């Protein structure tokens, strides 16, 4: 049964304390007069009536889980409270008075909508009934990483942002943002923890797949289009707010290591290219992004203090607030304050450069730096202590609370935070959205090579019905295009689907989700691939979540194509000529690991003699 919220007064919108009234005689409860007041007036009125504890609860946005049936997550009796993924929803909403949550996990769209309504009911029972803002990492692509993206069944499926950059069509990026907006709205999500405006200047960095590639101008166009797709031309009741990340650009990680981990804490600029990484953020500001997330890392060898960006007053106040004039919400990346566990293993706070500080002082530094909200934390009591001991002023807290309240009002959450589960089931992943996403997957396919060394004609497109040997492709899907055979001896052509390599030594716990380190295949990994390419003309399709080093495979393949998240159908539509590929490489493919290591982390496409240059991509006749 669908959960339908009962009509209830939301006292917060009635400054005189009067409940909602049936203004039109139609049984619909509406707030008395308050909806008609200017937003700034509503914010000021509510701010005056909030206690310090209620304000403190607003400054934290942590993870919240969902049950598959759409019910709220509550711990079993006697269960440990150390796992934030199983924290009590009621304790966070009615105890800690929090009303911003990052949805972790998924359920069917109908159940997600029902969950939203239950959560809003719970929040409405608090003294002021402040509605909840639900946020999410990307849900509409293939990769599932608990720190970066949540592949969600029932939503339309798109290539990773690299694929949109490969197509280079700003209108496609805007359309994707708009479709995501409609799917998020249907289930109650009002804040997108995307786009990533970072640049893929360091090929080994595990987060490359979430970027729009290595070129700042291309990324700027894509970022601006994505923001406009989510928010429209101005933030309003039908918008999903965009939190653009990770300011001031997270790409130039030392040795390509990730800043989730202590060995990846440093961000470096050996090419003196700091300003290049700001270009996509400047486009996000122009597009009106509502929020900004600073990165974990600490800058090394720059004019800025060597402390993590979330603690960095030079960057948040000096650069973001003062130089760029950004007056929107600044929310830190997740988990800067509290050591915890993830998947049963210790996971230290990402307090890079502030490791020596206690939790209270870390929060003080974050607030002093100019951030409004702490991501991945649930400790309002620390804000209360800072104010009551005089270390942070009440006025400073009010400044951030006002920004957060204003966004809730502008989004219309105070007036109606509920969604229709029936509509959610109809909207999310509907036939139109699915078809557009599938077409985008095919369009982003990048043809790198299409001619066997000893042939005079290209291999692609393949002839329908050809005898096909396939690895990494679902046989029933392949059978819609070709005669599928099970041995190389029977085949006219082979298709292999492979992925960019990574260091297999990082195979346990949270680190295993971050495909880091080497980009080249070992001899043992190459052997089975080359055995196929020598036996029969072979199309090799490689998933480029990072810039693979593949000279031997490129030489041996009859045709070589790249994808950035594409289903078997999307790929085969291209290989058999049903859809034209439009992709061009969103970063160069280096010829060797030596050239990768010799490159500057902050400079795009600077390897010597790349195997395939930035922008390379063939077009099929």
């Amino acid at each position: 049964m669908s959960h339908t919220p009962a009509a209830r007064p939301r006292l917060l919108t009635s400054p005189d304390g009067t409940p909602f009234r049936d203004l039109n005689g139609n049984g619909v409860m509406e707030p008395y007069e308050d909806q008609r007041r200017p937003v700034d007036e509503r914010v000021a009125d509510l701010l005056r009536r909030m206690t310090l504890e209620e304000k403190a609860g607003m400054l934290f946005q942590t993870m919240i889980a969902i049950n598959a049936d759409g019910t709220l997550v509550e711990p079993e009796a006697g269960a440990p409270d150390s796992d934030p993924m199983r924290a009590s929803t009621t304790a966070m909403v009615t105890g800690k008075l929090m009303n911003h949550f990052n949805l972790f996990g998924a359920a069917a769209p109908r159940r997600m909508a029902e969950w939203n309504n239950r959560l809003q009911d719970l929040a409405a029972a608090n003294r002021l009934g402040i509605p909840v803002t639900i946020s999410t990492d990307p849900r509409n692509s293939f990769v599932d990483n608990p720190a970066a993206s949540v592949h969600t069944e029932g939503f339309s499926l798109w290539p990773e942002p690299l694929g949109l950059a490969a197509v280079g069509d700003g209108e496609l990026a805007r359309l994707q943002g708009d479709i995501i907006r409609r799917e998020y709205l249907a289930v109650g999500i009002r804040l997108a923890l995307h786009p990533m405006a970072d640049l893929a200047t360091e090929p080994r960095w595990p987060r490359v797949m979430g970027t729009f590639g290595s070129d700042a101008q291309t990324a700027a166009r894509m970022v601006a289009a994505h923001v406009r797709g989510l928010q429209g031309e101005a933030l309003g009741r039908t918008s999903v707010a965009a939190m653009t990340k990770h300011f001031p650009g997270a790409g130039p990680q030392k040795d390509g290591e990730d800043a989730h981990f202590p060995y990846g804490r440093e961000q470096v600029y050996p090419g003196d290219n700091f300003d290049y990484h700001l270009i996509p953020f400047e486009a996000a500001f122009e597009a009106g992004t509502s929020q900004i997330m600073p990165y974990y890392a600490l800058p090394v060898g720059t004019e800025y203090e060597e402390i993590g960006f979330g603690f960095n007053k030079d960057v948040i106040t000096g650069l973001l607030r003062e130089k760029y004039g950004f007056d929107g919400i600044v929310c830190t990346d997740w988990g800067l304050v509290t050591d915890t566990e993830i998947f049963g293993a210790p996971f230290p706070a990402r307090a890079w450069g502030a490791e020596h500080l206690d939790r209270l002082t870390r929060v003080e530094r974050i607030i002093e730096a100019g951030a409004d909200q702490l991501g991945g934390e649930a400790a309002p009591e620390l804000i209360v202590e800072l104010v009551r001991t005089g270390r942070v002023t009440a006025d400073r807290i009010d400044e951030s609370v006002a920004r957060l309240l204003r966004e809730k009002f502008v989004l219309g959450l105070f007036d109606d935070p509920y969604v229709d589960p029936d509509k959610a089931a109809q909207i999310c992943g509907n036939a139109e959205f699915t078809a557009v996403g599938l077409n985008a997957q095919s369009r982003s396919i990048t043809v790198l090579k299409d001619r066997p060394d000893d042939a005079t004609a290209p291999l692609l497109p393949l002839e329908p019905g050809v005898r096909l040997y396939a690895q990494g492709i679902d046989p029933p899907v392949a059978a819609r295009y070709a005669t599928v055979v099970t041995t190389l001896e029977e085949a006219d052509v082979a298709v292999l689907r492979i992925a960019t390599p990574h260091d297999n030594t990082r195979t346990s716990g949270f680190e295993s989700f971050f495909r880091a380190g080497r980009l080249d295949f070992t001899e043992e990994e190459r052997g089975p691939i080359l055995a196929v390419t020598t036996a029969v003309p072979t199309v090799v399709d490689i998933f480029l979540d990072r810039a693979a080093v593949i000279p031997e495979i490129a030489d041996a393949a009859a045709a070589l194509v790249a994808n950035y998240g594409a289903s078997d159908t999307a790929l085969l539509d291209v290989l058999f000529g049903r859809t034209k590929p439009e992709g061009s490489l969103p970063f160069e493919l280096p010829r060797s690991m030596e050239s990768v290591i010799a490159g500057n982390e902050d400079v795009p496409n600077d390897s010597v003699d790349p195997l395939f240059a930035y922008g390379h991509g063939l077009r099929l006749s």
Side-chain angles (χ1 to χ4, degrees):
M1 179 181 295
S2 296
H3 176 78
T4 302
R8 63 175 69 236
R10 298 188 66 81
L11 300 179
L12 71 159
T13 54
S14 298
D16 62 356
T18 306
F20 278 21
R21 299 179 179 179
D22 184 0
L23 298 178
N24 299 314
N26 58 4
V28 177
M29 304 299 283
E30 298 183 47
Y32 182 65
E33 292 297 330
D34 199 58
Q35 283 185 3
R36 300 166 179 81
R37 301 167 70 205
V39 166
D40 288 346
E41 186 178 325
R42 297 175 76 180
V43 169
D45 173 73
L46 182 53
L47 192 61
R48 282 194 296 269
R49 292 187 283 121
M50 294 178 73
T51 66
L52 175 58
E53 287 76 10
E54 288 164 338
K55 294 173 183 178
M58 291 201 68
L59 300 192
F60 291 82
Q61 177 178 176
T62 196
M63 295 77 70
I64 193 170
I66 181 173
N67 288 324
D69 63 356
T71 55
L72 304 179
V73 170
E74 303 294 349
E76 298 176 4
D81 59 4
S82 59
D83 182 0
M85 299 301 103
R86 301 299 299 175
S88 165
T89 302
T90 297
M92 290 191 289
V93 174
T94 66
K96 294 179 180 288
L97 302 177
M98 295 172 61
N99 46 61
H100 294 82
F101 295 103
N102 170 204
L103 177 57
F104 183 87
R110 176 186 297 277
R111 302 307 177 206
M112 292 175 70
E114 293 172 348
W115 172 84
N116 169 80
N117 292 346
R118 292 184 175 101
L119 184 61
Q120 300 295 355
D121 273 346
L122 183 64
N126 280 340
R127 186 181 77 93
L128 294 175
I130 298 173
V132 170
T133 302
I134 299 169
S135 70
T136 186
D137 283 309
R139 290 180 174 269
N140 293 75
S141 52
F142 287 79
V143 174
D144 200 2
N145 178 339
S149 58
V150 188
H151 175 71
T152 303
E153 295 294 333
F155 282 52
S156 60
L157 193 57
W158 294 72
E160 302 293 332
L162 286 172
L164 297 180
V167 177
D169 181 352
E171 176 55 28
L172 179 63
R174 189 208 62 78
L175 176 60
Q176 186 214 31
D178 181 63
I179 288 175
I180 290 172
R181 175 188 67 84
R182 287 186 269 176
E183 292 183 324
Y184 282 6
L185 282 175
V187 299
I189 295 169
R190 301 306 304 274
L191 172 60
L193 304 181
H194 50 88
M196 278 177 61
D198 311 310
L199 297 174
T201 55
E202 168 45 64
R204 291 167 290 181
W205 186 42
R207 301 291 298 276
V208 162
M209 65 185 176
T211 75
F212 289 105
S214 60
D215 178 71
Q217 297 299 335
T218 299
R221 287 192 295 108
M222 298 294 108
V223 165
H226 189 82
V227 169
R228 290 191 172 102
L230 290 171
Q231 296 188 170
E233 290 304 314
L235 199 70
R237 291 169 181 263
T238 60
S239 299
V240 168
M243 184 186 291
T244 303
K245 58 189 185 185
H246 305 85
F247 192 80
Q253 287 298 117
K254 187 177 187 304
D255 299 328
E257 297 290 6
D258 194 82
H260 280 86
F261 310 105
Y263 50 75
R265 66 201 288 270
E266 295 184 3
Q267 201 155 297
V268 296
Y269 302 88
D272 195 26
N273 212 25
F274 185 95
D275 289 348
Y276 185 76
H277 292 261
L278 293 170
I279 293 172
F281 290 94
E282 293 168 350
F285 301 146
E286 180 67 24
T289 185
S290 182
Q291 301 198 25
I292 288 288
M293 178 193 291
Y295 198 41
Y296 291 127
L298 57 87
V300 175
T302 72
E303 64 184 277
Y304 303 101
E305 182 183 2
E306 292 191 1
I307 193 169
F309 289 123
F311 302 91
N312 203 311
K313 189 172 184 177
D314 293 346
V315 170
I316 297 177
T317 295
L319 182 59
L320 180 61
R321 296 286 195 203
E322 294 177 355
K323 178 180 177 178
Y324 284 115
F326 181 75
D327 193 38
I329 294 166
V330 176
C331 178
T332 74
D333 211 331
W334 268 221
L336 269 61
V337 174
T338 308
D339 296 338
T340 185
E341 290 186 356
I342 188 165
F343 301 137
F347 193 44
R350 274 67 73 207
W352 311 141
E355 294 96 332
H356 61 290
L357 301 178
D358 61 28
R359 293 173 69 231
L360 191 65
T361 308
R362 289 176 184 177
V363 174
E364 182 182 21
R365 284 295 305 264
I366 289 167
I367 297 299
E368 285 182 346
D372 299 301
Q373 197 171 57
L374 286 84
E377 299 282 349
E381 67 277 3
L382 298 180
I383 292 289
V384 172
E385 183 175 351
L386 286 170
V387 174
R388 288 189 172 154
T389 57
R391 292 171 63 174
V392 173
T393 68
D395 286 346
R396 171 65 188 89
I397 299 304
D398 284 357
E399 179 185 335
S400 290
V401 173
R403 286 192 182 104
L404 294 160
L405 286 174
R406 185 179 192 282
E407 182 168 280
K408 287 181 186 286
F409 278 117
V410 170
L411 293 175
L413 282 167
F414 278 107
D415 304 320
D416 185 9
Y418 297 105
V419 295
D420 185 334
D422 290 335
K423 288 184 178 178
Q426 295 166 7
I427 291 171
C428 293
N430 65 46
E432 176 191 354
F433 294 174
T434 297
V436 174
L438 179 66
N439 182 252
Q441 295 168 41
S442 292
R443 290 177 65 188
S444 69
I445 298 290
T446 302
V447 180
L448 302 175
K449 174 184 177 181
D450 182 26
R451 189 179 298 273
D453 291 340
D454 59 351
T456 59
L459 180 64
L460 300 177
L462 301 175
E463 291 292 330
V466 68
R467 291 177 297 175
L468 176 68
Y469 174 83
Q471 289 183 8
I473 295 178
D474 188 24
V477 176
R480 299 203 297 262
Y481 300 81
T483 301
V484 178
V485 297
T486 57
T487 66
L488 290 170
E489 291 75 17
E490 301 173 274
D492 299 315
V493 67
V495 176
L496 305 184
R497 302 203 74 178
I498 63 175
T500 300
H502 63 285
D503 280 335
N504 297 324
T505 55
R506 303 174 185 184
T507 56
S508 63
F510 190 50
E511 284 178 295
S512 65
F513 289 96
F514 293 81
R515 294 169 57 88
R518 66 180 174 88
L519 301 162
D520 58 340
F521 286 83
T522 65
E523 185 174 345
E524 182 180 13
E525 291 167 337
R526 282 196 306 268
I529 299 170
L530 299 183
V532 175
T533 62
T534 57
V536 64
T538 302
V539 181
V540 176
D541 166 62
I542 184 166
F543 171 53
L544 293 181
D545 63 330
R546 299 182 298 153
V549 175
I550 51 172
E552 300 89 352
I553 293 171
D555 286 344
L560 178 66
V561 303
N563 80 84
Y564 316 91
S567 67
D568 292 343
T569 297
L571 172 66
L572 293 174
D573 277 351
V574 167
L575 298 186
F576 284 86
R578 299 183 185 180
T579 304
K580 295 291 186 183
E582 300 177 33
S584 301
L585 279 176
F587 42 60
E588 68 179 11
L589 296 191
R591 190 172 293 275
S592 68
M593 279 304 299
E594 290 76 16
S595 65
V596 171
I597 294 168
N600 293 317
E601 287 93 336
D602 59 328
V603 177
N605 311 314
D606 67 339
S607 73
V608 176
D609 186 28
L611 181 67
F612 294 106
Y614 170 84
H616 176 76
L618 305 178
R619 299 294 177 257
L620 301 183
S621 59

